[in-house]
Amino acid sequence: MSKTYGSGHRALDHVDLEIRRGEIFALLGPNGAGKTTLISIICGIVTPSTGTILVDGHDAVHEPRAARSRIGLVPQEIAVDMFSTVGSALRFSRGLFGKAPDQAYCDQVLKDLSLWDKRGAKIMELSGGMKRRVMIAKALSHEPDILFLDEPTAGVDVSLRRDMWKMIGKLRERGTTIILTTHYIEEAEEMADRVGVIDKGRLLLVEDKAALMKKLGKRELDLSLVEPMAAIPAGLEEWHLSLEDEGHRLRYTFDAQAERTGIPSLLRKLGEMGIAFKDLDTSKSSLEDIFVGLVEHREASNEGGVA
Ligand SMILES: Nc1ncnc2c1ncn2[C@@H]1O[C@H](COP(=O)(O)OP(=O)(O)OP(=O)(O)O)[C@@H](O)[C@H]1O
């Protein structure tokens, strides 16, 4: 699908994506990448300019009610009736989807989200974190098979973040498909089965988490040499070093997730060889580096276009 807003801004550019039943899919991208637009289209809140969206076989544009009834959406912004109580907000949300009342189910949702004690409280009396839990409870009120969480842990404290991760794990065990957006790599790392990277409306890649984390795990160690060198001396082959800055810096690229990084042995070897350095610096690939790397790689391998 593609989406160009009335302003002429192309928020999504030929995004082609298939989500697997029962998986946790993390959509990773910087601000303005198009994540919310993508979710909003799938949930029938925004209409796509071109393309088709099938939700469990139902067309999101032509059968919006059937498609939407399968989805629970936790939006970024807290949007609830502040005067309602927690329990009645849940019952009301369920009713909106035409589901028969089921107090036992609603009670269980409240218990799972540590909201049971607050079931009689007015929403406006709750803390920000509790309000977020209510948003999730509401999204689950009609027993959706698919749950969208848009930036679920932005501005959330550590304990709520842990609870959310736990709750997401539980939902997955029950077979709920979960799609979350985030710009925190750690969040994707903790929870996702697969990760999609989106930037400027284009889906740059979709990969199993393990494969992506391997790519993200690259680190560099730069050693500023006391004496510049013309070439890398024999005896240092096993570290596959590169010489930078006209021979003033030795660079070692390593996998930070490996059990043995090779750094201590490299430093030992340099000492034995009498190669002195005056400073050392390590850096890791940022999300931005990864985006840049991905784009460059795609252009270089002439695979441009859509993922
Ligand atoms: N209704 C709209 N009209 C015009 N442009 C819009 C509209 N909604 C979003 N945009 C633009 O589309 C682009 C994608 O926005 P979107 O909210 O989908 O990004 P995002 O990846 O969710 O970012 P964030 O993490 O900041 O929420 C942005 O440049 C945004 O300004």
Side-chain angles (χ1 to χ4, degrees), residues 145-201:
D145 301 320
I146 306 163
L147 184 66
F148 281 93
L149 296 149
D150 198 0
E151 303 271 352
T153 58
V156 150
D157 68 21
V158 178
S159 94
L160 180 54
R161 184 170 299 193
R162 287 226 186 88
D163 276 8
M164 277 195 179
W165 288 355
K166 248 194 257 161
M167 183 220 50
I168 290 169
K170 250 186 180 174
L171 286 170
R172 183 238 233 123
E173 278 168 25
R174 283 185 216 155
T176 308
T177 305
I178 295 159
I179 298 125
L180 60 98
T181 72
T182 182
H183 40 241
Y184 299 124
I185 288 179
E186 293 78 11
E187 193 153 270
E189 185 168 2
E190 177 75 23
M191 293 195 287
D193 298 308
R194 284 197 308 153
V195 175
V197 176
I198 188 169
D199 188 30
K200 299 195 181 78

Side-chain angles (χ1 to χ4, degrees), residues 43-44 55 60 73 85 112-113 115-116 128 139 141 146 156 163 171 188 200 203 216 222 224 238-239 279 300:
C43 295
V55 181
L73 169 64
T85 64
D112 287 349
L113 286 162
L115 282 169
W116 182 242
S141 65
I146 306 163
V156 150
D163 276 8
L171 286 170
K200 299 195 181 78
L203 199 55
L216 303 189
D222 270 353
S224 303
E238 72 177 274
W239 291 274
D279 196 8

